[in-house]
Amino acid sequence: MKKLLSAAAAILASACILTGCNEKDGKIKIGIIQYVEHPALDKSYKGFVDGLAEAGYIDGQNISIDYQNAQNEPSNCVTIGNKFVNDKDDLILAIATPAAQAVANLTKDIPILVTAVTDPESAKLVKSNAKPETNVSGTSDLTPVAEQIKLLKKIVPNAKTVGLLYCSAEANSIFQLGLAKAACDANGLQYIESSVSASNEIQQVTQSLVGKVDALYVPTDNMFAAGIANVAMVATAAKLPVICGEEGMVSSGGLATYGINYYELGKQTAVQAVAILRDGKKPADMPIEYLEKCDLSVNKETAAAIGIEIPADL
């Protein structure tokens, strides 16, 4: 009998190792850290959870999800990351660049997937986007910045100078800023860069551009996404069109964007998670993936408020 019990225990332990389940309750443990609360990141999280469920990984049944929001505080990212490492989670999902950077610095063993990260390579999360060679992989939210600037030019054909708003502390925003400046150059637009380092600076910095620019461009910047209502308040009063990096910013008062669907991006990341959890794939060998389909979003109320007529072919 003892031999039979020992054999059964050995089989169970082997099964847990193969499936990545936690010995305590038989569930796979997934830690999710989201940098800040705003529509784009919220959709990424929901898409990831829904994508896992569609693949048969359901929270409370065969997986246990520990979701934590860092509330836009870098120090919270470290605290949350340490918790996941100490809990010996089987997989960590980091939503947004600051969260991903914090967690990646804390463990080289636990598989980490990232999403809503513009360029993992320049953020030093992977050796290259094509071949990570680290414990990190995931999906990029790189938006078609050049097409967004073309959209600005089409909606505001007489625009000559564009205000580029971004957070100087976010690597993803600095990367997009370079793309935006190149796109402005290609479209004969001058630009003024205006950065913030804290959310309470957003309204003042936006106000400083009134009278100096003909339109504003805001990339997929986490700080500005969370504070886009402050940008919209100033811009609408000044009748300045705001072209944004993603749809959530448009819904919160921006004028328009041509961007990705963050819910679908989250689901795409879930497919990668299943490949790791079920098929034993390693992030080191999994290229960073991109969402190819983009959607046009226009806020008609904002357009009416600032007196902008959207071209009929849009």
Side-chain angles (χ1 to χ4, degrees):
M1 177 64 74
K2 288 183 178 179
K3 289 184 178 179
L4 287 173
L5 289 173
S6 296
I11 291 171
L12 179 60
S14 297
C16 281
I17 292 171
L18 288 172
T19 59
C21 70
N22 180 261
E23 291 181 6
K24 184 178 179 181
D25 56 14
K27 295 175 184 173
I28 295 169
K29 295 178 66 176
I30 300 176
I32 300 180
I33 175 173
Q34 181 174 320
Y35 183 59
V36 65
E37 183 178 350
H38 65 68
L41 303 191
D42 295 345
K43 289 177 183 177
S44 292
Y45 165 64
K46 189 175 189 311
F48 182 76
V49 174
D50 288 352
L52 285 178
E54 288 178 8
Y57 291 87
I58 300 172
D59 186 28
Q61 294 186 16
N62 56 350
I63 64 173
S64 175
I65 293 177
D66 182 2
Y67 168 79
Q68 301 285 334
N69 193 305
Q71 302 298 331
N72 206 23
E73 287 291 341
S75 60
N76 288 347
C77 292
V78 177
T79 302
I80 294 167
N82 275 321
K83 179 183 186 299
F84 292 162
V85 173
N86 292 335
D87 288 346
K88 295 181 170 57
D89 285 354
D90 299 296
L91 177 75
I92 296 173
L93 172 71
I95 306 176
T97 303
Q101 290 173 319
V103 175
N105 284 332
L106 297 173
T107 178
K108 303 301 178 187
D109 300 316
I110 298 175
I112 298 171
L113 287 177
V114 304
T115 190
V117 172
T118 303
D119 186 50
E121 185 175 340
S122 66
K124 302 188 185 306
L125 295 167
V126 297
K127 291 188 177 179
S128 78
N129 292 328
K131 191 172 182 181
E133 296 187 56
T134 66
N135 62 320
V136 179
S137 187
T139 57
S140 164
D141 67 345
L142 180 62
T143 57
V145 176
E147 294 302 317
Q148 291 169 349
I149 296 298
K150 286 182 181 178
L151 178 66
L152 184 155
K153 185 74 173 176
K154 186 164 188 174
I155 293 176
V156 196
N158 295 324
K160 295 180 180 178
T161 306
V162 179
L164 306 177
L165 293 168
Y166 69 103
C167 172
S168 57
E170 293 190 29
N172 52 303
S173 303
I174 294 170
F175 180 81
Q176 291 175 85
L177 184 72
L179 298 177
K181 291 193 290 186
C184 284
D185 290 339
N187 286 275
L189 293 167
Q190 296 180 325
Y191 53 81
I192 298 175
E193 300 175 38
S194 289
S195 66
V196 302
S197 57
S199 58
N200 59 8
E201 299 172 359
I202 290 176
Q203 185 173 335
Q204 181 181 354
V205 167
T206 305
Q207 186 68 52
S208 71
L209 291 171
V210 174
K212 300 176 184 177
V213 300
D214 305 303
L216 298 171
Y217 174 74
V218 187
T220 53
D221 179 291
N222 293 296
M223 188 170 289
F224 271 96
I228 193 66
N230 290 322
V231 176
M233 179 178 64
V234 174
T236 301
K239 298 193 179 301
L240 273 177
V242 182
I243 302 300
C244 309
E246 52 91 14
E247 186 271 338
M249 293 168 142
V250 175
S251 299
S252 298
L255 177 61
T257 190
Y258 181 64
I260 66 171
N261 184 315
Y262 277 80
Y263 177 78
E264 292 301 327
L265 191 70
K267 291 187 73 172
Q268 187 170 340
T269 316
V271 173
Q272 292 178 305
V274 172
I276 292 170
L277 297 171
R278 185 182 63 196
D279 304 329
K281 289 193 175 181
K282 304 293 184 184
D285 304 318
M286 301 170 65
I288 298 298
E289 296 183 8
Y290 301 82
L291 196 65
E292 294 183 4
K293 184 178 181 295
C294 291
D295 301 317
L296 174 68
S297 299
V298 177
N299 188 321
K300 294 180 180 178
E301 291 182 4
T302 298
I306 64 176
I308 287 284
E309 185 174 344
I310 304 299
D313 58 345
L314 291 178

